[in-house]
Amino acid sequence: MISIPKLKNTDSTNFFLLAGPCAIEGRDMALRIAEHIVTVTDRLRIPYIFKGSYRKANRTKIDSFTGIGDEKALKILQEVRQAFGIPTVTDIHESHEAAFAAEYVDVLQIPAFLCRQTELLAAAARTGKAVNVKKGQFLSGASMKFAAEKINEVNPDAQVILTDRGNSFGYGDLVVDYRNLPEMAAFGVPVVMDCTHSLQQPNQTSGVTGGKPKLIETIAKAAIAVGADGLFIETHFNPAEAKSDGANMLPLDQLEGLLERLVRVREAIL
């Protein structure tokens, strides 16, 4: 169901994986994380896309980490794709960023808060790159058909991916409604479960987003069981030291065991 240049292991029956650090913090960390995940996913024959945000525009406080510089971070993403022969994905936040980021990555990601921004979706579609749209925390899965339609009206050949990342539950928590996955799959596009952002606890009075990373495996297993085509997981060598979203990230040394168990779940339902 998914067509992205450089994507390997597409002849397997496994789910595909978008994984990596929340933000590109530096060259060495990005290459080390990518190398580790490539080794694991190649062994398990999981199609893999490296994820890293070149800039974090949606921060709680003005002095929160936003990035190491746009071009510097995008060149690191480009180096990852060249070094390991894998596709990469990054977020864009404004329409003028689409063509710029598309020079370096294979998939453009639309953040959940921006999934209704028509010009942003159209600009991403015009690049010819695959577009992964995160479902807004305020939307149902069924309503995401309009985001997909906007992209395909601009570029009928665009590869659209829709990703669930939970729904707002009160002021400072999220809950996953798994009905959203089959509802989005009905549009004929690959659907992904964001297993880390769906466990965020946003809008904390401390000004730092919280999370429940111990439930990542629970969210991922349930998503595979209900038919998710792909999983999105942010991971870091030491989440406590990550400069963005560390509270809901998976420690990198736990990823291999988790993927092994998820592959078995996938095998059981096919």
Side-chain angles (χ1 to χ4, degrees):
M1 289 182 64
I2 188 167
S3 177
I4 297 175
K6 296 180 178 290
L7 190 62
K8 299 186 291 184
N9 299 312
T10 53
D11 59 338
S12 77
T13 57
N14 278 324
F15 53 88
F16 63 92
L17 177 70
L18 300 90
C22 178
I24 299 298
E25 301 172 8
R27 175 181 180 273
D28 290 345
M29 67 85 71
L31 290 170
R32 287 176 61 206
I33 291 174
E35 181 178 26
H36 181 92
I37 303 176
V38 167
T39 300
V40 172
T41 53
D42 278 352
R43 181 177 69 81
L44 296 174
R45 303 197 69 246
I46 296 171
Y48 172 53
I49 304 165
F50 177 83
K51 185 271 169 182
S53 296
Y54 76 93
R55 175 156 48 90
K56 300 299 295 182
N58 175 25
R59 313 310 300 147
T60 301
K61 298 189 293 186
I62 197 168
D63 59 350
S64 297
F65 173 81
T66 58
I68 60 174
D70 292 355
E71 189 170 14
K72 181 178 180 180
L74 284 167
K75 285 184 175 179
I76 291 171
L77 284 163
Q78 185 179 54
E79 185 174 357
V80 167
R81 72 196 288 240
Q82 292 172 344
F84 300 104
I86 56 173
T88 55
V89 56
T90 198
D91 313 75
I92 58 172
H93 306 87
E94 298 183 59
S95 56
H96 71 266
E97 298 176 29
F100 175 50
E103 296 180 17
Y104 300 91
V105 301
D106 305 277
V107 184
L108 298 176
Q109 182 166 283
I110 309 300
F113 284 135
L114 303 177
C115 68
R116 286 172 50 92
Q117 298 299 104
T118 300
E119 182 51 39
L120 180 61
L121 294 168
R126 284 193 289 268
T127 67
K129 299 291 185 174
V131 184
N132 179 31
V133 188
K134 293 282 193 76
K135 183 187 73 62
Q137 301 93 321
F138 44 86
L139 293 175
S140 68
S143 64
M144 287 298 289
K145 73 174 182 177
F146 302 112
E149 286 176 353
K150 288 177 182 179
I151 294 168
N152 285 139
E153 285 177 10
V154 173
N155 181 0
D157 297 323
Q159 170 69 77
V160 179
I161 305 164
L162 297 179
T163 296
D164 191 10
R165 48 97 75 234
N167 282 82
S168 296
F169 186 69
Y171 289 115
D173 206 356
L174 297 168
V175 65
V176 176
D177 180 352
Y178 285 95
R179 295 176 298 179
N180 287 323
L181 294 177
E183 286 179 350
M184 294 192 297
F187 309 139
V189 301
V191 296
V192 174
M193 185 72 237
D194 183 338
C195 304
T196 46
H197 287 99
S198 61
L199 290 168
Q200 282 185 333
Q201 293 180 306
N203 306 318
Q204 302 298 301
T205 55
S206 65
V208 178
T209 296
K212 298 180 179 179
K214 290 183 179 180
L215 292 174
I216 290 172
E217 183 161 344
T218 301
I219 297 293
K221 284 179 175 178
I224 294 298
V226 299
D229 301 296
L231 298 176
F232 180 106
I233 298 174
E234 287 189 342
T235 184
H236 194 281
F237 285 107
N238 186 352
E241 295 181 357
K243 295 182 178 181
S244 177
D245 281 359
N248 53 267
M249 294 170 78
L250 181 75
L252 188 63
D253 61 5
Q254 296 179 21
L255 181 64
E256 184 170 11
L258 172 60
L259 292 177
E260 289 174 343
R261 293 187 290 277
L262 293 175
V263 167
R264 292 199 294 271
V265 174
R266 175 77 169 184
E267 291 171 348
I269 67 170
L270 292 179

